[in-house]
Structure formats: structure tokens, C-alpha cells
């Protein structure tokens, strides 16, 4: 049983839930209550560095709320969170992003009247050095930085598979699949160490989902990015995840390798219900 008074484990500690590497993120005894509603209840959760981990569960299980806690959009009612050994429990979202955590959203949140390229450039803002006065006066140093940011944004869009012909298209005019690519590119623009993907294959056909699975592996292998995703497509979960954590009614009910979780009785009941007489 977890000691509720203990602080986060150091980043070099081994994940006690079955991982075999050091933890890049360690959440301890996390609870989030909205008035009388407990959306996340006493969840401890760790992500091994360099891993691909999925959180699954029925609708309303608390998955996105947990994502929002990890990225600073919500502050936990109780519990502590450490990223690379640093306590981020009370940090603002922009600070958490600057430390190396980026995310996408369940519902795509692009700036609709900005181009694909401009949306990705926004994601690089946390790494830019220009002051507000520099941005207004635009001396040569600032112009060089802006050009470098534009070039990096174009390279990132190319990396996620967006066609160059639509780099300057307004986001609102892009197809759903291309909007999803732009959102992932914007998250990558901040050079994250940990990438959180909230239902990245929603609205995709099986071929697009398969390409995204390959891309997630490529991200981890090429750039060393650790990936945490919420996903409802079980074929994607089983195909890409090295470990799966299952939420139900705000609690963690199972955790382990995909094949272990798929056979867990509580997981089967959460998704299919308890058969009468069983």
C-alpha cells in the first residue's frame, strides 16, 4: 500500500507497477474533487522514461481530468506530481510545458484563422528569447530567430506528414486528419520530453490509425520522447502500448502489460458489465 504521506519518488527510481526503467513522471495519491464529485480518486501512476503508455477506461472514468491535472490545467485536491524529479504539483501550464511536457486535446484546439505553419510557430513560443520590445522593434537578431522558428515549424509539419502545399492553409480549412497532424506538430514544437495525446485517433479510419501507431513508435525511437495516450481504439492500444492503466469511476482498477490487462476481470466488467448469475 502506498504511504499517503510520502513525497514523489526520485526520477531514477524504478516504477513499482511493472515498468523496468526509471520514471520520467511520478504521480502519487492524486485526487481531484469538484464540490461533492470526486473525478479522480487516490491514483498513483508512473511513466517509465522512453515508454509508450496508455490510459483506457469507459467514458466518464476520469482519464481527461487526470491529463488536465498532469499538465496543470487543474490542481489536484490531494496528492503530488513529480516530473524528472521536480515537483510540478502547483505549477502553471506554461511552466510545465517549459519543463518538457506537451499535450494534444480530445477536441482539436487550433487557432482556426491562423495557418498550419503559424499554429506550429505558436508552439515554439516558449523557447524563443525575444522580449516584447524586441518583437516590436525587430532588430536583426529577432528577425533571425523568427526565420529559424519558421523553418523549424515547416520541418516539424513535414515530419508529422503534412503536405507542403497546405502549410499556409488556414487551420479551419484543413481536413480532420490534417488538423490532428498540425496539433501534434504544435506540441512537438516545444521540444517535449513527455508527450500526452488525448484520443489521437478519434475520427480516423483504420489506415490512418495504423499510420499514427507507426508514427508514435518513430517519435520515441527518433527523438527519445516518452508518450502517454488516452485511447478508445483497443487495436491501437494493444498495438502500440508497452503498459496500460485502466480507470473506472475515477479510480485505477488495473495496470500492466496489454495482454495482462485484457484478461483482467475488473477491466472486462468495466467495459462489458457484470453478467447476471456469474
Amino acid at each position: 500500500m502506498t504511504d499517503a504521506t510520502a513525497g514523489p519518488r526520485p526520477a531514477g527510481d524504478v516504477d513499482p507497477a511493472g515498468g523496468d526503467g526509471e520514471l520520467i513522471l511520478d504521480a502519487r495519491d492524486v485526487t481531484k474533487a469538484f464540490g461533492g464529485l470526486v473525478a479522480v480518486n487516490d491514483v498513483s501512476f508512473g511513466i517509465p522514461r522512453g515508454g509508450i503508455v496508455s490510459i483506457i477506461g469507459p467514458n466518464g472514468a476520469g482519464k481527461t481530468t487526470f491529463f488536465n491535472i498532469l499538465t496543470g490545467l487543474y490542481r489536484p485536491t490531494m496528492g503530488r506530481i513529480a516530473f524528472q524529479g521536480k515537483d510540478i504539483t502547483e505549477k502553471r501550464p506554461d511552466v510545465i510545458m517549459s519543463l518538457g511536457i506537451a499535450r494534444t486535446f480530445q477536441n482539436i484546439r487550433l487557432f482556426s484563422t491562423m495557418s498550419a505553419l503559424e499554429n506550429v510557430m505558436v508552439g515554439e513560443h516558449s523557447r524563443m528569447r525575444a522580449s516584447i520590445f524586441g518583437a516590436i522593434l525587430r532588430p536583426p537578431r529577432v528577425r533571425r530567430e523568427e526565420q529559424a522558428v519558421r523553418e523549424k515549424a515547416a520541418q516539424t509539419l513535414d515530419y508529422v506528414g503534412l503536405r507542403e502545399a497546405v502549410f499556409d492553409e488556414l487551420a479551419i480549412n484543413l481536413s480532420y486528419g490534417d488538423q490532428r497532424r498540425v496539433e501534434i506538430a504544435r506540441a512537438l514544437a516545444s521540444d517535449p520530453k513527455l508527450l500526452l495525446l488525448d484520443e489521437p485517433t478519434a475520427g480516423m479510419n483504420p489506415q490512418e490509425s495504423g499510420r499514427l501507431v507507426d508514427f508514435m513508435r518513430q517519435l520515441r525511437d527518433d527523438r527519445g520522447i516518452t508518450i502517454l495516450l488516452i485511447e478508445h481504439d483497443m487495436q491501437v492500444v494493444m498495438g502500440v502500448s508497452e503498459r496500460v492503466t485502466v480507470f473506472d469511476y475515477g479510480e485505477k482498477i488495473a495496470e500492466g502489460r496489454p495482454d495482462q490487462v485484457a484478461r483482467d476481470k475488473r477491466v472486462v466488467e468495466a467495459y462489458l458489465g457484470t453478467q447476471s448469475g456469474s
Side-chain angles (χ1 to χ4, degrees):
M1 182 173 293
T2 303
D3 181 0
T5 63
R9 291 181 295 272
D13 275 12
V14 175
D15 181 3
D20 55 3
E22 67 177 67
L23 297 180
I24 190 170
L25 183 139
D26 179 24
R28 284 280 201 108
D29 312 311
V30 172
T31 294
K32 179 62 182 177
F34 298 95
L37 173 65
V38 179
V40 175
N41 187 19
D42 195 28
V43 171
S44 291
F45 175 81
I47 306 174
R49 186 182 300 276
I52 301 177
V53 176
S54 291
I55 297 177
I56 66 172
N59 289 330
K63 305 180 299 294
T64 296
T65 298
F66 191 63
F67 255 39
N68 289 339
I69 294 170
L70 297 181
T71 54
L73 292 177
Y74 296 155
R75 289 189 177 181
T77 307
M78 295 177 60
R80 296 183 68 192
I81 303 163
F83 175 65
Q84 299 196 120
K86 183 180 181 65
D87 189 344
I88 61 169
T89 310
E90 301 293 327
K91 302 296 185 185
R92 301 191 313 266
D94 60 305
V95 174
I96 290 174
M97 184 182 71
S98 70
L99 292 172
I101 299 178
R103 71 169 293 178
T104 64
F105 290 85
Q106 181 176 349
N107 299 313
I108 295 173
R109 296 187 183 183
L110 297 176
F111 296 102
S112 60
T113 57
M114 294 173 65
S115 70
L117 192 68
E118 289 167 339
N119 267 280
V120 179
M121 291 173 67
V122 168
E124 297 184 56
H125 176 75
S126 66
R127 305 300 183 199
M128 295 179 69
R129 297 179 179 179
S131 66
I132 186 170
F133 296 107
I136 294 171
L137 299 175
R138 302 188 72 246
R141 176 182 58 79
V142 171
R143 291 199 297 271
R144 287 194 298 271
E145 184 179 47
E146 289 176 352
Q147 181 60 31
V149 165
R150 179 173 291 273
E151 290 173 359
K152 180 183 174 184
Q155 292 169 0
T156 307
L157 285 172
D158 180 67
Y159 182 74
V160 301
L162 193 73
R163 293 172 293 117
E164 186 176 358
V166 298
F167 282 10
D168 292 321
E169 283 282 341
L170 296 183
I172 196 172
N173 295 330
L174 297 174
S175 68
Y176 182 88
D178 282 347
Q179 287 183 12
R180 191 59 88 176
R181 291 183 182 90
V182 173
E183 189 178 42
I184 293 173
R186 184 174 63 184
L188 292 176
S190 64
D191 295 324
K193 302 298 183 186
L194 172 62
L195 178 62
L196 279 62
L197 303 173
D198 194 346
E199 297 193 28
T201 68
M204 292 186 176
N205 61 42
Q207 291 74 28
E208 290 172 325
S209 296
R211 286 195 292 269
L212 184 60
V213 167
D214 293 338
F215 178 68
M216 283 188 278
R217 293 196 188 100
Q218 181 184 350
L219 264 182
R220 191 266 306 276
D221 296 341
D222 288 354
R223 301 193 176 192
I225 295 176
T226 304
I227 297 173
L228 173 64
L229 65 150
I230 293 172
E231 186 52 68
H232 282 292
D233 186 329
M234 295 308 296
Q235 186 170 353
V236 170
V237 171
M238 296 298 168
V240 76
S241 307
E242 295 158 352
R243 203 181 79 208
V244 178
T245 298
V246 187
F247 279 32
D248 192 30
Y249 293 107
E251 297 184 350
K252 182 175 74 174
I253 64 169
E255 190 170 59
R257 296 193 312 270
D259 59 316
Q260 293 174 323
V261 168
R263 297 191 300 267
D264 189 282
K265 182 179 179 181
R266 292 187 67 186
V267 175
V268 174
E269 290 178 352
Y271 274 95
L272 302 178
T274 306
Q275 295 181 354
S276 59
S278 62

